[in-house]
Every structure is written in structure tokens, then in C-alpha cells.
Amino acid sequence: MPKKPIAFIVGVGPGLGVALAKRFARSGLHVALFARNLDFLTAVQKDIVSASGDASSFVCDVTDAKSVEKAFGEVEAQFPDSPYELFIYSKTLSIWSVDVAVFKRSPFLDITPQEAEDSWRSLCFGAFLTSQKVLPKMVTQERGTLLFTGATASLRGAANFSTLAMSKFALRALTQSLAKEFHPKGVHVAHIIVDGMIESDKIKQFMGDAPDGTRLKPEKIADVYHDIYKQDKSVWTQDIGVAFRHKVQRNSNSIFTLRSFATATNSSSQSIVNNWKVGSKLHGFVVHDNKFVKEFDLNAIKLVHEATGAIHFHINNII
């Protein structure tokens, strides 16, 4: 009986990572789950197997070359005859799921060399290390697909997010170079820019429900990845984006928007934001929630317009 092809999912976390693993398991691939948290990986593996899929878990710190060598060596030892069909590097950004050093908003002059290096290692160097482990076999097979998860920062560098921007720009450049080198050898390399907020239980718990189309559903993003994986070689995609609509009409009197703004520490504006208590009113809006996220020095505020029901989320960063 032929061995099942392997799909490497590197960076399995709540949301997109899990959705990708389950989607490609349903497609008949043996999913190799990579992350640092073995307990979490084991739970995801159990879910996949219970749904008649195949999966294995491998503890790996993608920023460490020795850890990467060990984890991929374990895959080869367990499945020496299985083809390497797919590789996904999915280090997504969420204030609830990534290292603070990777996502933290900081003025450029306050960033330490270690913080800059940590961001680059996680979001770019890890992709370099791990893709090097699968490409030799894919080239020999003259077949394989590498998919890399990008972000809004892959296209636009925002103020006070220089470490994130430089890392995601670098990842995109890496994928462009790999595509030009390996497309002629039968290996499809693509970069998917996830330009928006990914729906999750944590997001719902904090921000509540939102109109359809205003948050990216991880299962639907996974479907896009699967579509790219199934592309005919004559129409291979290299750079593609998925995005939510920043402003969407829900019905005749309800609009959902997401806005962000920055405020200097100790300024009068920041004082005003801190005083937006639940139930207080501002220009026709009622504050429904106002939470301070200490790790990232930001306020997240949910407001609802009294007359129209319009929902606004403000992410206020202290700089």
C-alpha cells in the first residue's frame, strides 16, 4: 500500500494553524504538526484522528537550528518512504497567541537588538531553516508545494511596528526568491497575505459577534490555501492576499467598522480614553467595553451608536 504524502504544518496554533491541519488531513494527507507546545499538538492530533484523518506531532522551536534538525529528522525516521507533498509556514499574528517580542508595538529607538532579532528569527529565519529541510526531497520528486503566511505588514510598514514590518517584508522577499529558483524544478512556492483580523473564540469573547465579512474565518482561509495547493502548474500563484472588508453594510441602519489610533503616553487624549467607562456616551455612541492589554500597552474599546446600532472597535496604542 502506498505511503500517505506528508503535509508539514509549521506553526500550529489556535485558529489558522488548526484549520490548516484539519483541512489538509481531510484532503488525504498525513499531517505533521509542528509547534513548541506538545500538549496542544497532541490535542489537535487527537481531533484529526477522531475525524478519520492521519496526523503526528513534533515539538520544534523554529528559531533554533538544532531543534529544527531534530524535529525534521524524526519525521524522516518515522516516514522514510513517504513523499513530501506540502509545507506550510504559518506564523500568524494575534495579541492572544504570539510572543510579545514578535508583535509588540514599540517606537523604533526603544527597540533592543534582541527584540529585533527575535522577531526576524520567528517570522523569517524559521521559514528559512524549515523550508531547507523539505526542499531537497521535493526537488528529487519534481513535485511539492510550499505556502507561507504573510500579513498586512508584508506590504506596508506601520509606525512603531518596524520589527514586524522588516520580518514580514523579508519573508515575502524570501518566497519570491524561492519561487523563481524552484518553480522550474516542479515545486510551487506561494505567499498568502492575510490582511485582516482572524476570527477566534478569544476574539469573540472580547469583541463579541461581528457582521459576516468583517473577520476572516480560519476555515475559509484554509480553503484558499487548499485551492492554491491544487492549482495547475500552468497557473501557479506566487503572491496572493485575503482580506476582510474594513467597512461593511449589515442592514439599513447598522455599520461595523474597525479603527485604530495612537496616543502619546500621559497625554490628555490618553486620559480621555482611560475614562471611557462602560455605559458612558461619546458623540452618540455608548461604550460597551474598554479593556487595557498590558503586554501591548493598548486599550481596546467597543462602542455602539444609540440611534443606528453601528458598532465601532477602537484599538488605542500608547506610544
Side-chain angles (χ1 to χ4, degrees):
M1 182 177 178
K3 301 291 185 181
K4 270 193 174 184
I6 304 293
F8 296 86
I9 313 296
V10 181
V12 177
L16 182 56
V18 172
L20 289 167
K22 292 181 176 180
R23 180 64 186 86
F24 285 98
R26 292 199 307 272
S27 194
L29 304 180
H30 185 107
V31 180
L33 308 169
F34 280 65
R36 290 179 297 182
N37 188 328
L38 180 58
D39 290 339
F40 182 79
L41 289 178
T42 303
V44 176
Q45 178 182 337
K46 184 177 179 180
D47 286 346
I48 291 173
V49 172
S50 67
S52 302
D54 290 304
S56 302
S57 299
F58 302 91
V59 175
C60 182
D61 178 357
V62 298
T63 68
D64 182 80
K66 291 182 179 179
S67 178
V68 170
E69 183 76 31
K70 181 176 182 294
F72 280 84
E74 290 172 355
V75 175
E76 186 59 28
Q78 291 185 35
F79 310 102
D81 301 320
S82 295
Y84 287 2
E85 179 72 6
L86 174 69
F87 167 91
I88 299 178
Y89 192 82
S90 186
K91 299 288 285 185
T92 56
L93 301 173
S94 164
I95 62 173
W96 289 283
S97 64
V98 301
D99 295 334
V100 172
V102 174
F103 187 79
K104 184 179 180 181
R105 179 186 178 116
S106 299
F108 179 73
L109 297 179
D110 292 344
I111 299 168
T112 67
Q114 189 62 56
E115 286 174 332
E117 182 177 337
D118 288 346
S119 176
W120 169 75
R121 280 185 171 275
S122 178
L123 299 177
C124 182
F125 184 58
F128 165 83
L129 290 176
T130 52
S131 58
Q132 273 198 336
K133 296 302 178 185
V134 299
L135 275 167
K137 194 166 185 174
M138 288 183 174
V139 169
T140 299
Q141 298 167 175
E142 297 183 340
R143 175 181 175 82
T145 301
L146 277 71
L147 304 178
F148 298 83
T149 300
T152 308
S154 304
L155 299 172
R156 299 183 294 277
N160 303 299
F161 281 107
S162 54
T163 56
L164 174 61
M166 75 176 192
S167 303
K168 295 307 263 185
F169 265 70
L171 176 65
R172 188 182 183 209
L174 173 64
T175 66
Q176 292 173 350
S177 181
L178 292 179
K180 289 180 171 61
E181 182 174 351
F182 291 100
H183 278 192
K185 300 177 181 180
V187 179
H188 184 191
V189 180
H191 176 251
I192 298 97
I193 298 168
V194 181
D195 184 14
M197 183 181 293
I198 300 176
E199 184 69 282
S200 69
D201 291 339
K202 289 283 189 181
I203 291 288
K204 286 183 178 180
Q205 179 182 346
F206 176 64
M207 292 186 167
D209 292 326
D212 187 42
T214 58
R215 294 179 194 156
L216 296 167
K217 298 177 181 179
E219 295 79 11
K220 298 304 181 182
I221 302 174
D223 286 341
V224 172
Y225 280 63
H226 189 266
D227 290 343
I228 296 171
Y229 158 68
K230 298 295 286 186
Q231 284 177 340
D232 183 81
K233 186 176 181 179
S234 64
V235 290
W236 274 354
T237 296
Q238 196 281 310
D239 223 353
I240 190 169
V242 293
F244 76 100
R245 291 165 286 167
H246 291 261
K247 188 172 184 179
V248 61
Q249 183 77 36
R250 182 171 60 180
N251 53 46
S252 60
N253 66 353
S254 185
I255 295 290
F256 169 89
T257 61
L258 174 67
R259 296 179 178 179
S260 63
F261 53 95
T263 310
T265 305
N266 297 324
S267 71
S268 58
S269 298
Q270 180 59 34
S271 177
I272 292 172
V273 169
N274 289 338
N275 289 326
W276 284 1
K277 306 299 182 184
V278 174
S280 60
K281 297 181 180 181
L282 178 73
H283 303 304
F285 285 86
V286 178
V287 178
H288 276 227
D289 210 345
N290 184 351
K291 293 186 178 180
F292 179 67
V293 184
K294 182 178 180 181
E295 294 86 351
F296 301 97
D297 288 337
L298 62 80
N299 284 84
I301 307 106
K302 177 181 179 181
L303 305 101
V304 179
H305 197 272
E306 288 185 285
T308 66
I311 301 171
H312 289 257
F313 287 109
H314 288 274
I315 308 299
N316 184 70
N317 298 87
I318 306 170
I319 59 174

